[in-house]
Structures are given as structure tokens and as C-alpha cells.
Amino acid sequence: MNRFIRCCLTPLPVVTGLALSGASGLAADEKEKADQGHRHRHRHEGEDERYRRRDNAASPSLPDNDEHLTVIGHGFNTLNQPIGLSRMPQDVLHTPQNINVVPQALMKQQNVKSLDEALRDVPGVTSSIGEGAGGMNGDQFLIRGFQAQNDIYEDGLRDFGVYSRDAFNMETISVIKGPSSEVFGNGTTGGAINMVTKTPGLANRYAADFSGGSGGYYRGTLDVNQRLNATTAFRIEGMGNENNIVGRDFIYSHRWGIAPSIAFGLGERATLVLQYMHQQENSVPDFGVPVVKKPGTAYALPITQYGIPRTNWYGTNNDQNATNDNMETARFSYKLNRHITFYDDLRGGEFYRTFAASKATCDQTCVNNYFLGNPASALVARSGPVGAGKGVGPGTYMAPLPYQQTSWSVQNVGSMVADFDTGFLKHQVVAGFDLERVNDVRSQSTYTRAKPYASLVNPNPYVGNLNLIPGDLNPGGLVSLAGIGAKDHTNGYAFDTGLFLYDQIWFTPWLSIKGGFRWDRWQTSYNATGGDTATNPDVHFHNVSSVFNPNASLLITPDSHQTYYFTWATSTTPTGMYVTNGSVPIRPPGNTIADPEKARLYELGAKYSAFHDRLGFSASLFRLEKNNATNSDPVTGQIVSTGDTQRNQGLEVSVGGLITRGWNISATYALYDSDTTASLTKANVGKNVQYVPHNQATLWSVYDAFSGKPYNIAFGGGVTWRQHVWLDAANTARVPANLDFSAVISHRFNSHWKVAMNGYNLANRLNYQSLFSNRATPSAGRTFLGQLSYSY
């Protein structure tokens, strides 16, 4: 029997590698990971790599003549890293799609504290100011210019919550570019974000760190992994975080979280991991500054480009964002034999939210007063469908209204990975089912006192008690939405049944095809009740639809270090499916349920792991097309159907790994060419797709000098750059380019203690992070954070 190297297909994030270098003092952490499992490496002379890879799902009871090799790699070359979910069993190198991985080593060097911070290293990902019904917040992302707030996953299961995700429980983060409905189901027009969580391993480990610095920043984390017996381990992570935002007045965030987990059967045929995550936050939402058009200019820009201080915040002391988020997860795997492995992943989630925010609106009178000689009279409306005008009256009452939200969800994904032969053909089949249900209940409240207008130049948030009462006691204060009316209570649910099947077939050791499909049946319901029912009767919408999403890929793998591929993939995004993140259904003309958004991807790519796997290179050319595009109304937040057909095409390249021993690099570049190819608004045809930059790049590099010496020091830094982006389909408003310089320096006292200092936005440049069609949020100013870490 030929000897072969087994490759573990478990979705658990314990399959990592041992670092070649102690860059930034990470060697001890990486060694602990190497003790938990073998790296996804495949090197054996005279052996056929593509055929060996089929044996990934083999039984743990290996024959005596099998060879076990632990291969040394490095965390910055992520091509040989598993993606972290059973439905995508191949590693990044052999998956025919552009995948950007943010590894743990990079997050440690940059002292990443949230999902939003981690994704700044990924080209094509943009943060948006979420809207939804009444104004959402939390993590809201776009991938390649298309909404992805509903495409956030944790260990392959959808995270339905609307909250800002802390990074304390994240091992790695992958952004899987392009439509992937055959894997994830509905959505994934631009791609999917998958977080791999920290889970127990058989090596005991104890770690803690404390950070403090600019903006009243204080943070502490704890990570304890304890082996209980030969096959069982327990792990717990904890986090406490308190900070203001440098360069933004009155904005703060207080949050804490805990994530215990226990694993049974580690290294055995059957493995069960039980996890719980609780995160709680109390913060102030920041909806940014208004985007205005200066008289005589060609397009609108954020008002801070015209002399208004970046610190100006136009909210009130009544604004709040209180979230309480819980998820319970059970992940089971069973290796039936060397050919078949079964997986079953189950998650429940409960999410609670109290939200109140302000939207700054500077109308034409406000603009004229500021630019034409009377800035003291320039007044901003903090809410409402109209601007401040001349400031007549006490202020504005309307959108966004405060609300209380209660949601729950449950999802179960069962799958099978089978490796077998039919004649001379080698197969890897993935098949399974996906069931998910999500419920949402929301109650609107109203203010009986108007929000006073704010001075554009010198806003005052202290407006006193606005007398918040339930919406049913003040129907006249509710926001009226087209086709729905003014309602104070909404509830909805969505239920999805999905079946998927795809097969990778090897014709030769270097040539294979991969194809499959997913069928989904969507059932959605939405009810809006209350208010003045005599004027606005209660409304009830119900929709059932089915969809079929196929995909196909051609792969050429000359050896174990390189892959070339062509992929065609599709996705479908249903209307009204995501009831937790904007529960108002799309209202097209005629007040009917709109057709789903549909997307197609054509991608040609290459991946190469070079220099004995020290460096990984990837490049892809893609064309992404979407029809039935939707957008959020800039005032009410209601999702509307535009009827647009949009296209984004371009080039993405990346490199990650070691330049020399102790010198790591991570660099990316994206060139995008986007436009609207068809639209009900003829003037928009040929315009750039909103939020898509033409160019975007990132670079991060750290050198670990004198590693192992008492006088060791690691130092480096990087830059992120994003060209200007348009904020609307008509290309009449945009934000300037972002350019951010950051740096790190660290010293390890011994194998247990390390001290580091990170600097962010060192040039103190006025950048914009979160974007919306008529507002933009300035990024934090120059920030310094010190960190003291302990690990054993």
C-alpha cells in the first residue's frame, strides 16, 4: 500500500500550523496550535497529490504502514489553511474561489479587537452605516460593492444578530468572494464572511492580556484551555472593553463577553464540541456627518471636507445602542470509515436590542447659510424626512424612531463528505441539508417632544428629556412607510429549507471538475400592526418561493503547490428573508413582493505556494453581475427595489508569508471596474456602482530582530488605501480616498511575557470608514494602544 499523508477535514479550528519564526512573539502560541493537529500540507515524493487529497475523511485508525508527518508552515501563508466548515472541505489553495484569510498571527500583531477592524485588511470589503427599518447599526458590510450584512457566518452557521462582533473568540476570519449560494444558501452576492471560533485542544494553555491607550481605552481578555482527559478539553474566553473614539465627541462603547466551550472525543472517530457565546454592549451609535453639495461644485462631499470639525456629532443624549446577544452551538462529526464523514452543526441564537439614533440632515437652506456667509444660522435636522430648513418650529419628530427588538433563530446543517472511485475517476462528494428559522418582533416608540435642531458648526447633544412613549400612545408620531403606513408594531419570520449536492471529479492527478447545486424553499411572513388602523389598516404579507442555484469549476493542479481554476457560480437573495436586519419587505411598484436579486460570477484564478511554502500568492480576474438590485432609502431606511442591473469586474492579487526568517508580509491589491448596465432611471446607466472603489490596497509587514535573545524586538507596520467611492447610483456624492498608516513595536521578556505598542492612523488623516448614501462617519484619529500579554 502506498504511504500517504492524512488531511483532517474537521470543521473545528484546531487544524493549524507551527510558525517558523517568533515574529512579534507568536512562536509559543503557534506551537500550541501545532500540538492540536496536522497542518494542511501535502508533500510526499512519488505520491499523487490530487488522489491523496481524496483520503481526507479517512478513519483515525490508520494502518501500520501509514506515514504521519507534521510539516512546519507559517500562519501568514494561508493557502494551506482549512476554511473552517465541512461544506468546503478543501483548503484555501484547492478551493476554486478567491478567498482572503485574516490569520490569528496578523490579528495579534495588529491588536485586532473587532470583526470590523479585522476586515480592513481585506480588499473589496467596505463598512456601511446600516439602516433597515428605523435605522440599524452593528456590523454592516459590503463585499465588492454588494450588501453582505446578512452574509456573516460563524463556523459555517449564519449569525443572524445585528451587533458589533468583538474578536475575542475569533481564531481566523475568511472572506469567500463571489456568489456561494450552493454552500451558504440565500444571499452571498458579493461573498460571505466566515469566522472560525476558538475551541478546545488537548494542550493546556493559559493566556491573558491588557490594553490601554488613547481615547480612554481599556481592554482585558482571558483565554484558558484545560485538558480534562485523553480526549476531552475545556476552554473559556472572556473579554471586557471600554473605549471612546479619538476624533469623535460623545461616542463610546462598553462591552463584555464570555465564550465557554467543551470538546469530547478529540482525536477519536466521533467528536462533539459544545459552545456558548454571550456578548453585551452599551454604546452610542454614530451615524456620521451629512454629505452636502457646495454651491458651484460638481458633486457632494462630507461636510467635514469644508472646515467642519471631524469631532462634530449630531446626535442627542437620548441616543443609545444596548445589545444582548447569545448563541448556543453544538457541532458533531463522525468518521464512519476512511471514505465517509458525517457532520451535524446546530445553533440557536437569542438577540435583544434597544436602539435610538439620530440622522443628520443638512438641506439646501442649511447649505446656503453655511457657504454663503451665515454659518451661525446653518441648522441640521437630527431626524425627519426633511432638513432643518429655516429652523421654523421646535424641531423634528420623525425617523429614525427608537425601537425595542427581540429576535431568535435556529439553524441545523447536516452534511456528508464522501471519497470514492468509479472506475478510473476519483470523487469527493459533499451533500446535505440546511434548515433555518428566524423570528423577529419589534416595537416602535415615539418622542412627544421634538428633537431640537443642531448647529452645523457647534452642535449640542444635550437636548433634555424628549419624553419617550410607546408608539401606540402617539400614532401621529409614527413614521409612515409607502405601502405599509404608520405602524408601531411589526413581527416577521423566515423559514428556509435547503438541499445541496456537489461533486469534485479527478480525471487525472492534475485535472478535475467540480459542480453542484443547491435547492431552497423560502417562506417569509411580515405583519405590521397598530397605529391609527382607521387610516392605515394592518398589513400582512406572506411569500413562498423556490430557487435552484448551480455552480461549476474547472481546476488544474500541476502539483501540491499550485492551482489554476475557472469558476462559474450563482446566488439568489430573497426579499423579506432577513427579518432581523431590516424587517420591512421590499416594496416594488404595485405593493407586491419583489423578485429576488440574482447574481452570476465568472472567475479565472491562480494560487501558488512558493519558496518551500514560505510565501503564498494568489490572483484572480472576475466578472460579477447582479440584477433586481435593491437599495435603502436614505431617509426612512426602507428597502426599495431599483430595477438596476449592476456589474463589477476586476483583478485581485495577494501575497502572504515569510520573506526571510523572522520577516513576515501580508499584502493585497484590488482593481475594480464597476457600472450600472441597466436601470429604470436612464441617467444612471453607465455610472459607477456605489461604494465600489476603483483601486484598493493593503500592506502589513513586521520584522522580528534578535529572536530568542534578551534584547529581541519586533517592529513594523503597514498602510491601507482605498480610492474615492461614490455614495449613490447617480454618482452625485462621494467620499475622498482613505489612507491609513499604522505601526507596531513589541518585546518579549521571556517565553511568557510580552509588551507591545500599536499606533493607528499615524498621519491623523481625515478618513471615512462607514458610508451611506447621504452620510459618512469619520474614522478615528491618531491612536496609540499599549498591550501587556501573558501566555503559558
Side-chain angles (χ1 to χ4, degrees):
M1 174 180 176
N2 289 331
R3 294 182 299 172
F4 57 89
I5 301 174
R6 302 290 189 187
C7 177
C8 179
L9 277 182
T10 174
L12 307 182
V14 299
V15 186
T16 52
L18 172 63
L20 281 172
S21 162
S24 193
L26 293 177
D29 294 340
E30 297 297 329
K31 182 180 185 304
E32 184 273 331
K33 298 173 193 173
D35 293 337
Q36 299 177 14
H38 294 301
R39 183 82 176 183
H40 274 215
R41 303 285 187 184
H42 312 276
R43 301 188 220 157
H44 192 281
E45 293 183 4
E47 182 74 26
D48 227 321
E49 172 60 24
R50 291 283 39 79
Y51 290 95
R52 280 204 317 273
R53 181 165 292 278
R54 291 191 326 99
D55 294 315
N56 286 350
S59 166
S61 301
L62 300 177
D64 292 338
N65 59 346
D66 286 346
E67 180 179 10
H68 303 261
L69 296 181
T70 299
V71 183
I72 296 175
H74 192 272
F76 279 86
N77 179 5
T78 60
L79 289 183
N80 294 113
Q81 183 164 311
I83 298 172
L85 61 155
S86 59
R87 286 164 287 166
M88 301 182 74
Q90 301 287 346
D91 59 11
V92 174
L93 177 65
H94 297 93
T95 300
Q97 222 165 329
N98 192 335
I99 301 174
N100 296 110
V101 178
V102 184
Q104 179 70 197
L106 179 61
M107 290 194 284
K108 282 181 175 291
Q109 287 185 355
Q110 296 183 345
N111 194 8
V112 165
K113 301 164 287 296
S114 66
L115 176 61
D116 178 70
E117 290 184 11
L119 293 179
R120 294 176 191 179
D121 291 295
V122 179
V125 177
T126 305
S127 295
S128 66
I129 303 174
E131 292 298 325
M136 303 298 285
N137 207 334
D139 289 329
Q140 307 282 326
F141 300 108
L142 302 107
I143 302 176
R144 290 176 171 172
F146 302 113
Q147 289 288 348
Q149 72 266 34
N150 303 300
D151 301 318
I152 300 175
Y153 294 81
E154 188 175 280
D155 300 314
L157 296 172
R158 198 185 297 268
D159 186 346
F160 290 94
V162 183
Y163 62 103
S164 297
R165 292 159 179 83
D166 195 278
F168 78 103
N169 191 34
M170 299 178 190
E171 186 72 38
T172 62
I173 301 166
S174 299
V175 180
I176 303 161
K177 299 286 186 66
S180 302
S181 277
E182 89 286 356
V183 174
F184 296 103
N186 47 73
T188 68
T189 300
I193 300 165
N194 184 54
M195 302 169 288
V196 177
T197 59
K198 298 175 181 178
T199 52
L202 292 177
N204 291 338
R205 182 179 185 272
Y206 316 98
D209 63 62
F210 173 79
S211 298
S214 306
Y217 186 93
Y218 304 97
R219 177 182 176 87
T221 65
L222 177 70
D223 185 356
V224 175
N225 186 94
Q226 181 64 48
R227 176 174 176 166
L228 302 181
N229 58 41
T231 61
T232 306
F234 174 80
R235 189 168 184 175
I236 185 169
E237 293 92 28
M239 171 274 301
N241 190 100
E242 178 175 335
N243 67 277
N244 301 324
I245 303 297
V246 177
R248 296 292 289 155
D249 288 343
F250 308 106
I251 304 299
Y252 65 83
S253 174
H254 302 162
R255 64 179 181 268
W256 67 274
I258 189 169
S261 57
I262 188 168
F264 303 94
L266 292 172
E268 297 294 311
R269 185 184 297 268
T271 302
L272 174 65
V273 178
L274 302 177
Q275 298 173 272
Y276 171 71
M277 191 284 296
H278 172 84
Q279 182 180 313
Q280 199 163 317
E281 179 178 13
N282 183 27
S283 61
V284 174
D286 188 0
F287 274 38
V289 300
V291 173
V292 302
K293 184 175 181 297
K294 180 181 178 180
T297 59
Y299 47 81
L301 291 170
I303 192 65
T304 41
Q305 294 298 120
Y306 298 112
I308 293 295
R310 67 196 292 175
T311 57
N312 277 15
W313 179 63
Y314 297 97
T316 78
N317 58 294
N318 296 273
D319 294 352
Q320 66 168 324
N321 175 43
T323 63
N324 185 319
D325 306 288
N326 306 270
M327 289 192 294
E328 305 84 28
T329 305
R331 292 186 286 146
F332 176 75
S333 65
Y334 179 70
K335 297 181 180 180
L336 180 65
N337 52 44
R338 61 181 297 170
H339 301 292
I340 299 176
T341 304
F342 294 99
Y343 302 91
D344 192 80
D345 300 327
L346 174 65
R347 169 173 297 152
E350 305 83 39
F351 311 98
Y352 308 93
R353 184 181 183 86
T354 299
F355 189 75
S358 300
K359 297 180 183 179
T361 304
C362 181
D363 70 357
Q364 194 59 50
T365 301
C366 169
V367 170
N368 290 341
N369 283 337
Y370 180 70
F371 288 107
L372 302 179
N374 192 16
S377 299
L379 299 177
V380 171
R382 290 182 165 109
S383 62
V386 295
K390 297 180 180 180
V392 177
T396 50
Y397 293 82
M398 308 296 278
L401 292 178
Y403 63 86
Q404 296 76 42
Q405 180 183 10
T406 300
S407 309
W408 65 264
S409 63
V410 63
Q411 183 179 13
N412 184 222
V413 179
S415 61
M416 175 195 71
V417 179
D419 295 275
F420 58 91
D421 301 344
T422 56
F424 71 95
L425 299 177
K426 312 292 183 178
H427 297 261
Q428 185 175 75
V429 172
V430 179
F433 65 88
D434 184 354
L435 303 175
E436 62 183 51
R437 164 104 183 201
V438 57
N439 276 57
D440 184 79
V441 176
R442 197 171 311 182
S443 298
Q444 299 277 359
S445 300
T446 65
Y447 297 118
T448 61
R449 298 191 180 100
K451 285 185 180 181
Y453 299 116
S455 166
L456 179 65
V457 178
N458 187 26
N460 179 11
Y462 300 106
V463 299
N465 184 1
L466 300 179
N467 195 23
L468 183 69
I469 63 173
D472 58 358
L473 300 181
N474 182 31
L478 296 170
V479 176
S480 181
L481 299 177
I484 296 175
K487 297 297 178 181
D488 70 299
H489 184 81
T490 60
N491 66 82
Y493 77 85
F495 184 77
D496 182 15
T497 302
L499 301 174
F500 54 88
L501 171 68
Y502 46 97
D503 184 10
Q504 185 166 356
I505 305 173
W506 283 267
F507 299 98
T508 71
W510 55 270
L511 179 64
S512 64
I513 60 171
K514 181 179 180 181
F517 68 89
R518 172 161 169 154
W519 171 85
D520 284 271
R521 179 184 183 272
W522 297 320
Q523 180 176 322
T524 60
S525 179
Y526 174 78
N527 305 285
T529 60
D532 184 357
T533 56
T535 304
N536 299 300
D538 293 343
V539 293
H540 308 276
F541 300 104
H542 186 74
N543 186 47
V544 177
S545 60
S546 298
V547 69
F548 180 82
N549 283 300
N551 77 304
S553 300
L554 172 68
L555 294 90
I556 299 174
T557 52
D559 57 44
S560 62
H561 302 285
Q562 52 187 323
T563 297
Y564 307 93
Y565 66 89
F566 174 77
T567 290
W568 171 78
T570 62
S571 73
T572 306
T573 303
T575 62
M577 188 73 192
Y578 308 108
V579 297
T580 61
N581 203 326
S583 62
V584 177
I586 298 171
R587 310 271 26 105
N591 254 5
T592 59
I593 299 293
D595 291 334
E597 291 183 344
K598 292 184 178 294
R600 294 182 302 275
L601 171 72
Y602 308 89
E603 184 171 307
L604 181 67
K607 303 178 184 182
Y608 184 50
S609 187
F611 307 112
H612 302 288
D613 291 324
R614 288 207 322 266
L615 280 171
F617 300 86
S618 66
S620 68
L621 291 167
F622 74 92
R623 182 185 180 107
L624 180 58
E625 300 170 341
K626 182 180 79 167
N627 58 20
N628 294 330
T630 61
N631 202 358
S632 296
D633 184 274
V635 176
T636 65
Q638 187 176 13
I639 306 298
V640 295
S641 178
T642 65
D644 290 357
T645 298
Q646 299 171 335
R647 184 201 68 202
N648 188 18
Q649 58 189 9
L651 166 71
E652 292 182 339
V653 296
S654 65
V655 58
L658 286 177
I659 299 175
T660 63
R661 183 178 179 86
W663 184 9
N664 65 259
I665 186 173
S666 176
T668 65
Y669 170 71
L671 171 66
Y672 295 138
D673 173 30
S674 69
D675 64 11
T676 299
T677 58
S679 176
L680 297 177
T681 305
K682 298 302 182 183
N684 291 349
V685 176
K687 299 296 178 64
N688 292 332
V689 177
Q690 62 192 119
Y691 309 125
V692 179
H694 186 53
N695 290 279
Q696 191 171 3
T698 70
L699 170 66
W700 177 263
S701 185
V702 170
Y703 180 67
D704 189 6
F706 312 111
S707 178
K709 304 292 185 181
Y711 44 87
N712 69 87
I713 185 172
F715 59 91
V719 59
T720 61
W721 171 64
R722 182 191 71 208
Q723 200 171 1
H724 70 266
V725 298
W726 296 101
L727 298 178
D728 60 341
N731 292 179
T732 62
R734 77 181 198 185
V735 295
N738 270 11
L739 184 62
D740 187 303
F741 298 96
S742 56
V744 64
I745 184 170
S746 67
H747 169 72
R748 183 173 285 278
F749 295 103
N750 51 43
S751 60
H752 303 302
W753 290 94
K754 186 188 77 170
V755 63
M757 174 68 76
N758 286 82
Y760 310 92
N761 193 10
L762 296 177
N764 201 31
R765 180 182 169 90
L766 177 57
N767 293 320
Y768 299 92
Q769 182 61 32
S770 297
L771 310 176
F772 198 62
S773 56
N774 64 349
R775 297 182 304 281
T777 302
S779 301
R782 184 186 297 115
T783 303
F784 293 98
L785 295 181
Q787 183 185 48
L788 179 64
S789 301
Y790 170 82
S791 62
Y792 180 79

